Amino acid sequence: MRSLSLALSAAALAVAFVPVVPAQAAALPAVQFVKIYYNSPGSPDNGANSSLNGEWAQLKNTTRKAINLKGWTLRDKTSAPDHVYTFGTFTLGAGKTVTVRTGKGTNTSTTRYWGRSGGTFAYIWNQTADTGYIRNPSGKLIDSCSYNNSRAASVNCL
């Protein structure tokens, strides 16, 4: 009987020390926001390309494999259809980041351009509060990042 009692005590102690993973330690999204720079230098202005490109969102591949982002979307909180950036043929390497700038430019392996122009209404990210969303080609929400601070120029999303 005594050995049974000791065995049960040992089993209870073993259960008590089983590590518990908190909900926030769940797996990272495959692609996540790193930062949104929403208050570009000189804005608001007339929407000059240099100012539009001073506004950007940076995304990171958190996996150990390259991810084909073709058809993935990046958008802000508005429902305006022109506030959606859709990735064309583009692969984001394992652990790599890509910066999506609002204005025009030549796409590279680390920087993509939304291609917007046309004055002050060309900006995507609101200067006071907004939310960014990343969705896969099926429309599933992969990550989001919100901010509500008119005194800062950017938000770190990690």
Side-chain angles (χ1 to χ4, degrees):
M1 185 72 163
R2 180 174 167 94
S3 60
L4 179 61
S5 177
L6 284 172
L8 289 174
S9 294
L13 220 104
V15 169
F17 289 107
V18 171
V20 176
V21 179
Q24 65 268 25
L28 293 173
V31 178
Q32 75 179 120
F33 280 100
V34 174
K35 187 174 193 172
I36 299 174
Y37 202 105
Y38 56 87
N39 193 357
S40 68
S43 67
D45 60 11
N46 63 356
N49 194 54
S50 60
S51 182
L52 288 170
N53 282 332
E55 176 183 89
W56 46 265
Q58 189 174 57
L59 314 177
K60 181 176 183 172
N61 175 348
T62 63
T63 73
R64 294 182 179 176
K65 294 183 179 180
I67 298 176
N68 180 355
L69 293 184
K70 184 174 184 177
W72 287 56
T73 60
L74 166 65
R75 71 169 308 131
D76 76 336
K77 195 171 187 171
T78 68
S79 60
D82 65 339
H83 277 234
V84 179
Y85 175 82
T86 303
F87 282 90
T89 302
F90 179 73
T91 300
L92 184 58
K96 300 295 183 185
T97 61
V98 62
T99 301
V100 180
R101 296 186 179 274
T102 301
K104 294 182 177 186
T106 302
N107 290 332
T108 69
S109 63
T110 58
T111 306
R112 310 308 277 179
Y113 293 88
W114 209 299
R116 294 182 55 87
S117 63
T120 57
F121 294 108
Y123 292 98
I124 295 295
W125 307 106
N126 297 332
Q127 291 180 335
T128 56
D130 210 341
T131 301
Y133 302 96
I134 304 167
R135 295 184 185 277
N136 69 14
S138 302
K140 178 182 178 192
L141 179 65
I142 303 300
D143 194 27
S144 64
C145 179
S146 297
Y147 58 90
N148 185 4
N149 186 347
S150 61
R151 291 180 285 197
S154 64
V155 61
N156 289 318
C157 305
L158 297 177

